[in-house]
Amino acid sequence: MKIEIAAEPQPISVELARTALLIIDMQRDFLEPGGFGETLGNDVTRLQAAVKPLQAVLAAARAAGLLVIHTREGHRPDLSDAPPAKVERGSPSLRIGAPGPMGRILIRGEPGHDIVPELYPIDGEPVIDKPGKGAFYQTDLESMLKNRAIKNLLVAGVTTEVCVNTTVREANDRGYRCIVLGDCCASYFPEFHEIGLKMIKAQGGIFGWVSDSATVLAALRGAR
Ligand code: TIU
């Protein structure tokens, strides 16, 4: 079944069976105090804005039988997959791998690395562990999408200008249509959130489309 989603720069029609919801890095390390995001000097409460709208979209996507894929940014406990340029940069309060209140910062298997309880994956929803900003880099996301003949991605998560934008650009180069749900994304910098969405939809949708949770919920409701 096809649904039409109102979006900028123009509406887009997608086949539901060829569409997945891709949720980027909704991890405690980015959204909760004491994690990676806070060690970088950020106000992590800003990211909370995306949780409720995304919860509603996640429930509707599950009800509609859409493939839901979650990603998590993080590294192996021995840091062998963490580029020194990433680990050593800046002057964070705690570096990647250092022990923090939610376990070692940005390390797989630690409490802080896991997805926030409100958006926790259920059985059957793949979780992609990625070492970089983009969800395609050094992961099996592309083969997963190909095996399910997915062509369109509803993209949500954090942060808008970092991992969401990087993933959308990677997806765009690989031929996927990305529809970014603006209110289901968030940034530590409100101005980067706004501009990050504008960069996607400018120039006739140079990287993709931008829509929002209410629009997608209405479109999915119409499909039932
Ligand atoms: N710092 C920041 O804005 N983001 C990241 O480091 N990773 C993601 O966006 N997931």
Side-chain angles (χ1 to χ4, degrees):
M1 172 179 281
K2 272 198 166 183
I3 60 166
E4 173 147 311
I5 301 172
E8 291 183 14
Q10 69 271 118
I12 174 169
S13 175
V14 296
E15 180 67 50
L16 282 182
R18 301 279 166 266
T19 304
L21 173 63
L22 180 62
I23 303 181
I24 306 292
D25 300 357
M26 291 298 282
Q27 295 162 256
R28 299 182 65 197
D29 250 323
F30 294 105
L31 282 109
E32 295 186 14
F36 181 60
E38 194 174 80
T39 69
L40 299 175
N42 296 307
D43 172 6
V44 295
T45 62
R46 290 193 188 281
L47 302 194
Q48 281 300 321
V51 173
K52 271 218 160 72
L54 183 46
Q55 242 181 338
V57 169
L58 176 57
R62 285 171 175 164
L66 250 60
L67 174 64
V68 176
I69 300 177
H70 306 256
T71 73
R72 299 185 297 200
E73 180 179 352
H75 296 282
R76 293 170 182 257
D78 64 4
L79 294 181
S80 55
D81 63 347
K86 180 178 183 181
V87 178
E88 292 163 6
R89 77 182 161 76
S91 23
S93 57
L94 293 170
R95 290 199 186 274
I96 294 169
M102 292 192 287
R104 294 178 67 204
I105 300 292
L106 217 61
I107 297 297
R108 293 177 190 163
E110 300 288 340
H113 177 261
D114 214 349
I115 292 172
V116 295
E118 299 94 318
L119 300 166
Y120 211 76
I122 58 174
D123 277 354
E125 294 177 353
V127 178
I128 305 256
D129 279 327
K130 63 188 184 61
K133 313 293 191 285
F136 289 84
Y137 176 68
Q138 300 287 350
T139 73
D140 51 9
L141 175 60
E142 190 165 15
S143 61
M144 210 176 269
L145 298 177
K146 281 194 173 141
N147 292 339
R148 295 281 293 256
I150 297 294
K151 307 287 181 197
N152 318 296
L153 299 172
L154 300 173
V155 187
V158 297
T159 61
T160 315
E161 79 281 12
V162 181
C163 291
V164 172
N165 248 270
T166 305
T167 297
V168 166
R169 288 163 190 234
E170 286 183 328
N172 176 262
D173 274 347
R174 287 165 174 79
Y176 295 96
R177 293 183 193 87
C178 291
I179 302 143
V180 179
L181 309 183
D183 61 333
C184 299
C185 299
S187 169
Y188 302 118
F189 304 88
E191 68 275 28
F192 290 174
H193 174 76
E194 291 307 320
I195 295 289
L197 296 176
K198 276 189 183 164
M199 288 165 86
I200 288 163
K201 67 186 179 187
Q203 304 183 65
I206 192 88
F207 295 120
W209 289 254
V210 176
S211 187
D212 58 36
S213 61
T215 303
V216 166
L217 289 174
L220 286 173
R221 255 196 307 273
R224 279 202 265 149

